[in-house]
Amino acid sequence: LFNTKTEQVCELKLKNKNGTEFYAQLESDLVKDEEAGNYSVIRSSLCDITERKQAEMALIAAKQEIESIVKTVPDIIYRLDPNGCITFVSNSVKRYGYLPEELIGTNFMKMVYPEDKIKTIHRVKERRTGDRSTKSFETRLITKNQTPVSFEVFIISAEGLYSPATNGQGTFMGTQGIARDISERKQAEKERETLISKLQEALDNIKTLKGLLPICANCKKIRDDKGYWNQTEAYIKEHSDAEFSHSICPSCAEKLYGHYKNTKI
């Protein structure tokens, strides 16, 4: 079972005398008898690797947990190389007609709405980290099999990735970020703005009297835009929501009916 050119290494799960399990690494190789010309001795060593194995299993568990989270998050999580090409993208892109594997190696900017490319390029391919990195930057991305006028609106947060620092500065390795779809929110905002505009238009169209009114100095009729003279109450009623109820003031009553005071009936 031994390869005579290389030593054999395997990992074992063992128990010590008190029943506690531990991991060990067994290394074995054949020792050649130079005089006899054959392999007559097996040389083996056993090393306790429990701590290393536990660390490896913890790392695997953490990786699986992160992968599970990435799969369930609705936001698009991505990584780019220094040239802006996609090296990783989460399964969330399937909602927009893409498969993650078909986007690997594609430049991210090909997905950006044409009119947004100039403002977006340095935000998506972010090199900065910390507080200076991109946060909640709004742009439009084209979904698969759609024309350049069809898009979804996203806010993007991104930061640069660097190798461990050497001589005080690490090497730029690319960008990682998150793109969150806010299309529904933007549509709701647009509908709200449209409603507000319609309400404002309705308010503007409410009948109100304003400006200079040409009124006769004698009979008090008002001239309309067509040149016709109208009774004051008729003009006001037509150009406002006011209604009239008629009565006679004391002065007019005296003027019109004052001579009846001393008349005997």
Side-chain angles (χ1 to χ4, degrees):
L1 296 179
F2 285 90
N3 186 326
T4 58
K5 294 183 179 180
T6 60
E7 63 181 17
Q8 302 297 299
V9 179
C10 64
E11 293 181 358
L12 304 173
K13 189 175 184 180
L14 306 174
K15 286 186 179 181
N16 56 27
K17 291 183 66 174
N18 61 15
T20 304
E21 293 182 342
F22 69 98
Y23 292 91
Q25 179 173 287
L26 177 64
E27 297 183 9
S28 303
D29 67 316
L30 292 174
V31 179
K32 187 175 182 179
D33 187 335
E34 297 296 339
E35 294 183 359
N38 58 11
Y39 294 90
S40 58
V41 178
I42 299 176
R43 183 171 55 197
S44 301
S45 63
L46 192 66
C47 177
D48 189 340
I49 59 169
T50 303
E51 291 185 3
R52 190 189 79 187
K53 195 66 178 178
Q54 290 174 341
E56 290 175 355
M57 290 189 296
L59 183 61
I60 293 173
K63 182 179 179 181
Q64 291 175 340
E65 183 177 359
I66 293 173
E67 290 176 348
S68 176
I69 294 173
V70 169
K71 288 179 180 179
T72 57
V73 169
D75 300 337
I76 297 175
I77 301 173
Y78 69 89
R79 276 192 174 185
L80 310 178
D81 66 16
N83 296 318
C85 294
I86 298 172
T87 59
F88 169 81
V89 64
S90 62
N91 287 333
S92 300
V93 296
K94 292 180 178 179
R95 296 173 54 191
Y96 308 100
Y98 298 102
L99 293 176
E101 53 268 25
E102 71 179 299
L103 292 176
I104 302 300
T106 302
N107 194 292
F108 192 96
M109 292 305 297
K110 291 184 178 180
M111 299 174 62
V112 178
Y113 186 77
E115 293 182 5
D116 290 355
K117 286 183 182 291
I118 294 177
K119 73 172 186 177
T120 303
I121 184 169
H122 296 299
R123 297 302 189 96
V124 170
K125 296 166 59 177
E126 180 63 89
R127 300 178 69 96
R128 298 171 298 180
T129 60
D131 294 337
R132 298 177 64 244
S133 62
T134 295
K135 293 179 176 62
S136 301
F137 171 74
E138 186 176 310
T139 191
R140 293 171 289 182
L141 302 181
I142 303 170
T143 54
K144 189 177 181 182
N145 299 327
Q146 300 218 357
T147 65
V149 296
S150 300
F151 56 86
E152 302 288 339
V153 183
F154 288 82
I155 54 173
I156 291 178
S157 298
E159 65 177 3
L161 289 171
Y162 290 84
S163 64
T166 302
N167 298 325
Q169 185 175 2
T171 302
F172 177 62
M173 299 178 62
T175 305
Q176 65 180 3
I178 297 175
R180 174 169 295 175
D181 191 342
I182 59 168
S183 301
E184 291 185 3
R185 191 185 81 186
K186 296 296 290 186
Q187 180 63 31
E189 290 176 357
K190 183 178 180 180
E191 292 174 356
R192 183 184 65 185
E193 290 174 359
T194 300
L195 177 59
I196 292 174
S197 178
K198 289 182 178 180
L199 290 174
Q200 186 61 50
E201 183 179 356
L203 289 173
D204 293 341
N205 290 331
I206 291 177
K207 291 182 177 181
T208 57
L209 290 175
K210 54 186 177 181
L212 295 174
L213 298 178
I215 187 169
C216 177
N218 181 50
C219 68
K220 307 304 180 185
K221 287 183 180 180
I222 298 175
R223 188 181 66 208
D224 60 23
D225 296 335
K226 298 179 181 179
Y228 295 104
W229 291 91
N230 302 271
Q231 291 291 337
T232 302
E233 61 266 34
Y235 184 90
I236 293 176
K237 185 175 181 180
E238 182 180 350
H239 291 80
S240 73
D241 294 326
E243 296 289 342
F244 288 88
S245 63
H246 291 84
S247 184
I248 297 177
C249 70
S251 296
C252 291
E254 178 65 27
K255 180 178 179 180
L256 294 173
Y257 307 112
H259 60 282
Y260 289 111
K261 285 185 179 179
N262 299 320
T263 302
K264 294 182 179 180
I265 300 177

